[in-house]
Amino acid sequence: MDQRLEVFLKVIEKKNFSRAAEALHMTQPAVSQYIRSLEESTGVKLMERTNKYVRLNKAGEIVFHHAVEIKELYAKMNHLLEDLTHKASGSIAIGASYTFGEYLLPRIIAEAKEQYPDIKPTVTIGNTTTIAGLVLSHQLDVGIVEGHFKGVQELKTEPFAEDRMVIVAPSDHFLTHRKEPIKMEELIEETWILRELGSGTREATENVFEQFSISPQSIMHFSSTQPIKAMVEAGMGISLLSEWAIQKELRYGDIKVLDVKEMPYTRDFSIVTRSPFQTKALSAFLDLLRSHKELTDFKIL
């Protein structure tokens, strides 16, 4: 990788020329010379700088964005070359949407570390749209998501396991005592507690609303599953959640699944990648992931 880009990234990270020089074991004039050379080669100034701060201008933001991608691609290239002669080892940047990332991924990573102790995974948890974007920009090697994203031809999506989603309510909700199945239209007047836009769980809920032509008027939004479960438990409303996300709450009776005639709703967990080339570490992790297609090993109940 061009050392001028490495110096540029370090200056932005440290927000100061002298601190960047110290981190790179260079003199400050050497750092300044690298930045000057980069600006001369691009033909534009990249940053505003004073004795107190370093601030990117518009051109600098463009170079910074692409320099990060170049650094990721350069590291990936080296890993692939090393893999020609070495066993599965090295870093894997894994992303996962909340349901899979919080409730299933930790046990898969533990298994991967047991089988391949030289693999060094790092994990990013976010909604489906965020994870897809990070894979697209080469900041993640692989994403595991639920839901769909459109118009991203560069990404390869591989459904590998099924997720069942159910409607949950407070344990003392009057509908939990019904002996006959509940119809979806009976839930229109309930307060629905939903995930944010861009979430696979939110997409699934909207699909259910559309499928059964219901439009609840009372809706609350949260950016992760944990507070949704807490709100349901507190009697504030109902929600559509993955069975994986509610295992412990069902076990302790904190919430209950409503016997809705049209449920459960099913969707896929999918593996999302971009590069056609895979390190041995990533290939080994994906093989392990696919081996849990039924996910039956992870049942808590």
Side-chain angles (χ1 to χ4, degrees), residues 188-204:
I188 294 178
E189 300 301 323
E190 296 289 329
T191 296
W192 284 79
I193 308 174
L194 309 182
R195 285 286 307 280
E196 81 287 1
L197 291 173
S199 158
T201 298
R202 173 63 175 270
E203 179 191 37

Side-chain angles (χ1 to χ4, degrees), residues 27 103 144 205 264 279:
T27 63
Y103 302 103
I144 305 112
T205 306
T279 65

Side-chain angles (χ1 to χ4, degrees), residues 36 98 120 156 169 199 257 263:
R36 190 178 305 113
Y98 285 97
K120 300 178 178 62
K156 177 184 176 183
S199 158
V257 174
M263 291 288 109

Side-chain angles (χ1 to χ4, degrees), residues 247-297:
Q247 296 281 299
K248 289 183 179 179
E249 288 76 14
L250 292 178
R251 182 178 181 181
Y252 293 109
D254 298 328
I255 60 178
K256 290 187 178 180
V257 174
L258 293 181
D259 181 16
V260 179
K261 183 178 180 181
E262 296 86 356
M263 291 288 109
Y265 173 87
T266 59
R267 62 179 179 178
D268 290 323
F269 287 127
S270 297
I271 297 168
V272 180
T273 54
R274 178 174 183 179
S275 174
F277 304 105
Q278 296 176 357
T279 65
K280 286 186 178 179
L282 178 56
S283 181
F285 175 77
L286 293 179
D287 287 343
L288 178 61
L289 196 59
R290 295 182 185 107
S291 73
H292 288 295
K293 184 173 183 179
E294 301 300 326
L295 299 176
T296 52
D297 296 338

Side-chain angles (χ1 to χ4, degrees), residues 53 56 70 103 115 117 136-137 142 228-229 235-236 242 254 260:
Y53 67 83
L56 289 175
I70 291 169
Y103 302 103
Q115 294 187 26
L136 184 64
S137 64
V142 59
I228 290 177
K229 294 191 294 183
M236 298 301 295
S242 166
D254 298 328
V260 179

Side-chain angles (χ1 to χ4, degrees), residues 109-240:
I109 288 180
E111 186 175 342
K113 287 292 291 180
E114 183 177 353
Q115 294 187 26
Y116 307 101
D118 293 328
I119 287 179
K120 300 178 178 62
T122 58
V123 177
T124 299
I125 305 296
N127 65 33
T128 292
T129 301
T130 298
I131 296 302
L134 291 174
V135 174
L136 184 64
S137 64
H138 300 285
Q139 296 180 62
L140 293 174
D141 298 311
V142 59
I144 305 112
V145 302
E146 65 267 1
H148 303 86
F149 38 89
K150 300 177 181 178
V152 189
Q153 297 179 350
E154 298 91 338
L155 296 180
K156 177 184 176 183
T157 303
E158 175 193 341
F160 80 100
E162 187 178 88
D163 182 28
R164 288 160 46 96
M165 304 189 71
V166 293
I167 298 175
V168 296
S171 57
D172 60 353
H173 194 285
F174 74 96
L175 287 175
T176 61
H177 306 297
R178 281 271 294 271
K179 294 182 179 180
E180 66 275 9
I182 303 160
K183 295 181 179 180
M184 281 297 300
E185 55 262 32
E186 296 181 69
L187 303 177
I188 294 178
E189 300 301 323
E190 296 289 329
T191 296
W192 284 79
I193 308 174
L194 309 182
R195 285 286 307 280
E196 81 287 1
L197 291 173
S199 158
T201 298
R202 173 63 175 270
E203 179 191 37
T205 306
E206 292 182 343
N207 287 344
V208 168
F209 290 166
E210 182 178 357
Q211 181 179 347
F212 298 104
S213 300
I214 67 172
S215 182
Q217 297 303 304
S218 181
I219 291 177
M220 302 173 68
H221 307 269
F222 288 88
S223 60
S224 70
T225 301
Q226 200 60 39
I228 290 177
K229 294 191 294 183
M231 291 293 285
V232 172
E233 183 180 345
M236 298 301 295
I238 65 175
S239 189
L240 179 74

Side-chain angles (χ1 to χ4, degrees), residues 1-2 4-10 12 38 46 59-75 137 139:
M1 179 176 169
D2 190 325
R4 293 174 299 179
L5 289 179
E6 291 185 351
V7 172
F8 173 74
L9 289 174
K10 187 61 67 174
I12 302 309
L38 181 61
L46 300 176
E61 290 176 357
I62 292 171
V63 172
F64 176 76
H65 173 77
H66 288 87
V68 170
E69 285 199 24
I70 291 169
K71 184 177 180 180
E72 295 288 339
L73 288 170
Y74 186 79
S137 64
Q139 296 180 62

